[in-house]
């Protein structure tokens, strides 16, 4: 009887040990996004290279080694379908990817369609150095969320649209060959234009 109790005790302790070990093996981690200072010093009015991660934007300055990068969230928009943890905060930095120019609003403002794969709500992109020459998809760009602006639709209803300020120049094309025609043509100053081949 004593031998049987010792056996059960050993099994219980062994199982608890494996459970604790597996809990330690899979720690819960939160993503540490880049600070405002990191983004501003490395990417303000400069191009960058975007990594292949579809969930978190892994960005690297053109002069950084391949093993050095920082992380930023992708822009998901401000709609009700955006989970609370992805709701934007004023002043935060994001990467817009797979965004489309809908129309020009002014000399330095574009109405774009940007967000995740399921929902691409309208947003205003305020450009600084990039001058888009036409319509199409925008190469990935680092932006800063500056709040919303109220627009009046044709039917008289009002809608709040996110405003995104351009921080970086468009990402460098790294997939080989010329940039496909679906991407919007743009210009910056002559030296920086050498980074993009249309």
């Amino acid at each position: 009887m004593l031998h049987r109790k010792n056996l059960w005790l050993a099994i219980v302790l062994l199982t608890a040990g494996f459970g604790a070990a597996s809990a330690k093996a899979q720690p819960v981690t939160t993503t540490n996004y880049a600070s405002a200072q990191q983004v501003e010093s490395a990417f303000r009015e400069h191009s960058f290279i975007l990594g292949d991660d579809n969930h978190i934007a892994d960005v690297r300055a053109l002069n950084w080694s391949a093993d050095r990068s920082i992380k930023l969230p992708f822009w998901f928009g401000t709609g009700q379908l955006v989970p609370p943890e992805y709701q934007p905060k004023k002043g935060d930095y994001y990467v817009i990817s797979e965004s489309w120019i809908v129309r020009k609003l002014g000399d330095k403002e574009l109405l774009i369609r940007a967000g995740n794969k399921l929902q691409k709500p309208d947003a205003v992109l305020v450009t600084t150095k990039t001058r888009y020459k036409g319509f199409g998809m925008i190469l990935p760009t680092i932006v800063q969320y500056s709040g919303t602006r109220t627009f009046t639709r044709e039917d008289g209803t009002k809608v709040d649209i996110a405003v995104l300020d351009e921080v970086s120049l468009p990402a460098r094309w790294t997939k080989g060959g010329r940039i496909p025609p679906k991407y919007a043509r743009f210009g910056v100053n002559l030296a920086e234009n050498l980074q993009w081949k249309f």
Side-chain angles (χ1 to χ4, degrees):
M1 183 79 166
L2 188 59
H3 178 68
R4 199 180 234 176
K5 283 183 181 177
N6 287 343
L7 182 61
W8 279 111
L9 183 60
I11 290 172
V12 168
L13 289 174
L14 207 62
T15 306
F18 282 131
S22 64
K24 286 181 184 176
Q26 300 174 0
V28 177
T29 57
T30 56
T31 304
N32 289 326
Y33 292 121
S35 68
Q37 183 180 2
Q38 288 174 305
V39 175
E40 289 292 336
S41 62
F43 301 106
R44 173 63 69 179
E45 297 184 348
H46 295 288
S47 187
F48 65 98
I49 295 171
L50 179 64
D52 296 329
D53 193 323
N54 290 328
H55 302 287
I56 296 170
D58 193 30
V59 298
R60 158 167 77 91
L62 299 181
N63 61 350
W64 288 0
S65 62
D67 61 346
R68 180 182 174 197
S69 65
I70 62 172
K71 297 191 183 311
L72 290 171
F74 281 112
W75 174 256
F76 287 138
T78 58
Q80 293 180 345
L81 297 179
V82 179
E85 63 269 22
Y86 293 115
Q87 287 290 333
K89 295 177 184 65
K90 194 172 179 178
D92 281 355
Y93 297 87
Y94 298 88
V95 172
I96 54 169
S97 177
E98 303 289 316
S99 303
W100 290 85
I101 297 173
V102 176
R103 65 183 165 96
K104 287 193 172 189
L105 296 174
D107 183 40
K108 296 182 177 182
E109 292 187 347
L110 301 168
L111 183 66
I112 64 170
R113 207 141 280 147
N116 61 23
K117 291 179 181 177
L118 300 176
Q119 181 194 23
K120 289 197 180 295
D122 289 342
V124 175
L125 175 63
V126 181
T127 61
T128 52
K129 287 186 77 176
T130 309
R131 296 290 171 264
Y132 287 92
K133 299 175 181 178
F135 299 99
M137 190 181 287
I138 298 174
L139 285 170
T141 304
I142 299 171
V143 297
Q144 187 175 30
Y145 175 62
S146 64
T148 60
R149 189 185 302 167
T150 303
F151 285 82
T152 304
R153 294 181 171 143
E154 290 178 4
D155 64 1
T157 59
K158 298 198 180 293
V159 60
D160 290 334
I161 295 180
V163 179
L164 307 172
D165 294 325
E166 178 186 64
V167 172
S168 74
L169 296 178
R172 175 178 277 184
W173 181 256
T174 58
K175 297 187 179 178
R178 295 193 169 276
I179 299 172
K182 69 178 179 179
Y183 287 94
R185 280 19 186 182
F186 59 87
V188 290
N189 73 38
L190 182 61
E192 288 154 333
N193 265 337
L194 301 175
Q195 297 175 4
W196 300 279
K197 293 188 173 95
F198 289 102

